[in-house]
Amino acid sequence: MFLPQEIIRKKRDGNVLEAADINAFVRGVAADEVSEGQIAAFTMATYLNGMTSEEAVALTRAMRDSGTVLNWKAFNLPGPIVDKHSSGGVGDVVSLMMGPMVAACGGFVPMISGRGLGHTGGTLDKFDSIPGYQTSISIEKFQQVVRDVGVAIIGQTAELAPADKRIYATRDVTATVESIPLITASILSKKLSAGLDALVMDVKVGSGAFMPTLEKSRELARSIVEVGNGAGVKTSALLTDMNEPLAPCAGNAIEVRCAVDYLIGKSRPQRLHEVTMALSAQLLVTAGIAKGVGEARQVLTHCLESGRAAECFAKMVTALGGPADLLENPRKYMPVAPVIKPVLAMRSGFIAACDTRRVGMVVVALGGGRMRAADKIDFAVGLADIVSLGMHVNTGDLLAMVHARTEEAASSAMREFEQAITISDLAPARLPLVQMLTE
Ligand code: URA
């Protein structure tokens, strides 16, 4: 007989669970036979006692199999099924470019993206800011667009990894989010339900990262690589810097305009370009599309310069209901905020530090993110022209442009943004932008 409390007891007492225990528990979660209290007890026991890698693999597989797992065999695609995932950040617009770039290089990218969480932006919210673009579509249509275009970026559907939805909701209100095996299984179960051959994980490090320290970020990256490979998907990870916004902007429509400018070659901000290329190259190598990072970077550069990546993005937008000429006319379609105000430096010196979490919260407070899950987003608002760490500014120089709905919201955002930036006489130490995961 299935008794969830016996499985919880085993984990509470520090024992290792069998895959059969974990399967039974997760099946019970998906079938509503396990109560919220039992999920809370299980996740707290896991939070306190951890899991072996085998247990985390079993949990990931069980959560993935709690719903539909996409099967691509019937499509006979000429390339591997691949994806990326980021642990979340501010101005992290990489997915918008990387999906089409990897598709243009021969990968097939069924990307199921999430909404903004806390201070971080969400790829799903960014696509929702494109008029007409449908992020909520059937699995059949999703697979068709991936087959025809090479990439489709949509939101989570109820069919994929439903056990994660219940477990995550309980973790959120029981102080059990910050558990490496639970985070690993949550992220991977959703990603792996797309039927992937290869995945690259971008784990952020720094003041705007989800994990609080470099060591914790490394631990999460190692766990994802080990469990992803253990669950049968070629998985690799890079650690990337989030001690300042990745793009020089943050906010949904503003970031879409930045991605369009990047793809058409109008503007490729250096940090954003480097991280996008590093993750894309890593994925091409992990998936076996390129033999090494050097070759991968050459192919990616060609796909960008020839316009093929931009073409993939345009085709995806059109196939999912967005404007056919978004790339030619992004400013015609993307909403623009009515109040645009500069934040100016109050003193001269070097941009020495950025509280990136606080910058993310400026965007949330402007209405560009959610305070409560049910909140509606104002797609137009956010920050643009954000200064970079290490830059020298004089008094009165621009630190960022605030895009707001009202004068009051702009004033408050200007004050908050200024507080998030430290200007000092000393130039800050240069931090690595991309780090390989070493054992
Ligand atoms: N994102 C997820 O999808 N799951 C977690 O547990 C944490 C972040």
Side-chain angles (χ1 to χ4, degrees):
M1 189 166 95
F2 168 55
L3 286 175
Q5 54 270 48
E6 289 309 304
I7 298 170
I8 296 165
R9 186 190 310 276
K10 259 197 199 173
K11 187 75 325 220
R12 181 200 68 186
D13 293 345
N15 296 309
V16 174
L17 298 176
E18 305 287 333
D21 294 328
I22 292 174
N23 290 341
F25 193 86
V26 173
R27 263 201 304 273
V29 170
D32 249 342
E33 287 159 6
V34 171
S35 70
E36 189 183 2
Q38 288 169 323
I39 298 175
F42 178 83
T43 54
M44 185 57 85
T46 302
Y47 177 90
L48 294 171
N49 291 327
M51 275 188 170
T52 63
S53 162
E54 289 75 21
E55 284 176 294
V57 168
L59 183 62
T60 301
R61 283 203 164 121
M63 285 165 64
R64 176 198 65 192
D65 296 340
S66 67
T68 305
V69 179
L70 300 194
N71 189 329
W72 297 93
K73 282 212 176 68
F75 291 88
N76 252 326
L77 298 175
I81 312 294
V82 300
D83 197 4
K84 61 89 69 163
H85 185 73
S86 155
S87 63
V90 179
D92 179 7
V93 68
V94 169
S95 292
L96 278 72
M97 290 99 68
M98 184 171 163
M101 283 163 69
V102 169
C105 295
F108 287 83
V109 191
M111 192 182 289
I112 294 168
S113 60
R115 309 207 306 178
L117 197 64
H119 67 286
T120 67
T123 298
L124 179 55
D125 297 327
K126 293 168 203 177
F127 278 102
D128 274 334
S129 73
I130 302 174
Y133 190 103
Q134 296 297 311
T135 51
S136 179
I137 57 170
S138 69
I139 297 233
E140 291 70 34
K141 168 96 181 172
F142 181 45
Q143 289 195 290
Q144 269 167 26
V145 177
V146 172
R147 178 196 63 195
D148 298 343
V149 179
V151 55
I153 306 181
I154 63 159
Q156 182 70 21
T157 76
E159 297 105 307
L160 302 177
D164 176 65
K165 201 164 186 196
R166 271 199 87 199
I167 296 173
Y168 191 87
T170 306
R171 286 168 60 211
D172 203 19
V173 292
T174 55
T176 52
V177 167
E178 303 93 336
S179 151
I180 299 267
L182 294 179
I183 296 171
T184 302
S186 170
I187 291 174
L188 285 181
S189 61
K190 286 178 288 207
K191 282 283 155 186
L192 271 45
S193 65
L196 303 182
D197 298 313
L199 172 73
V200 67
M201 178 78 195
D202 176 10
V203 180
K204 303 290 185 192
V205 178
S207 63
F210 176 63
M211 301 310 276
T213 60
L214 172 59
E215 208 23 70
K216 280 278 169 201
S217 292
R218 270 210 189 104
E219 211 185 305
L220 177 61
R222 274 196 212 106
S223 168
I224 298 235
V225 169
E226 201 173 324
V227 173
N229 284 298
V233 173
K234 289 179 209 143
T235 306
S236 59
L238 295 178
L239 297 162
T240 70
D241 182 67
M242 191 37 72
N243 280 296
E244 60 183 306
L246 181 55
C249 61
N252 297 291
I254 299 174
E255 286 183 57
V256 171
R257 287 200 293 269
C258 170
V260 168
D261 287 349
Y262 180 100
L263 285 166
I264 63 174
K266 186 170 169 193
S267 158
R268 295 199 178 125
Q270 186 259 330
R271 284 166 44 82
L272 180 62
H273 184 48
E274 192 39 52
V275 170
T276 305
M277 288 294 281
L279 287 164
S280 304
Q282 183 69 29
L283 184 54
L284 294 191
V285 173
T286 306
I289 295 174
K291 287 196 194 70
V293 167
E295 180 190 322
R297 290 179 79 100
Q298 267 184 15
V299 178
L300 285 159
T301 303
H302 180 69
C303 285
L304 273 175
E305 298 310 329
S306 65
R308 279 193 15 234
E311 199 183 313
C312 277
F313 183 87
K315 281 186 179 158
M316 170 180 75
V317 169
T318 314
L320 292 172
D325 59 342
L326 181 71
L327 256 57
E328 290 77 38
N329 270 316
R331 280 147 191 86
K332 173 169 155 198
Y333 295 105
M334 302 311 295
V336 176
V339 181
I340 301 180
K341 291 269 160 88
V343 186
L344 303 178
M346 304 288 270
R347 57 160 290 185
S348 68
F350 293 97
I351 306 296
C354 170
D355 182 343
T356 312
R357 190 177 188 288
R358 198 162 177 178
V359 172
M361 289 314 292
V362 171
V363 179
V364 173
L366 281 165
R370 297 178 187 81
M371 308 275 192
R372 285 167 298 273
D375 285 353
K376 274 214 167 342
I377 285 199
D378 185 339
F379 294 121
V381 301
L383 299 163
D385 303 316
I386 304 172
V387 278
S388 303
L389 285 184
M391 267 176 70
H392 188 274
V393 291
N394 292 316
T395 307
D397 280 356
L398 186 67
L399 297 182
M401 296 299 291
V402 167
H403 291 227
R405 185 59 51 192
T406 64
E407 293 284 344
E408 295 72 32
S411 303
S412 153
M414 288 158 75
R415 275 193 305 277
E416 266 299 306
F417 182 82
E418 204 208 315
Q419 300 280 313
I421 299 291
T422 306
I423 302 179
S424 140
D425 293 336
L426 289 179
R430 279 182 80 85
L431 298 164
L433 181 57
V434 178
Q435 299 180 62
M436 297 297 291
L437 182 62
T438 46
E439 290 312 310

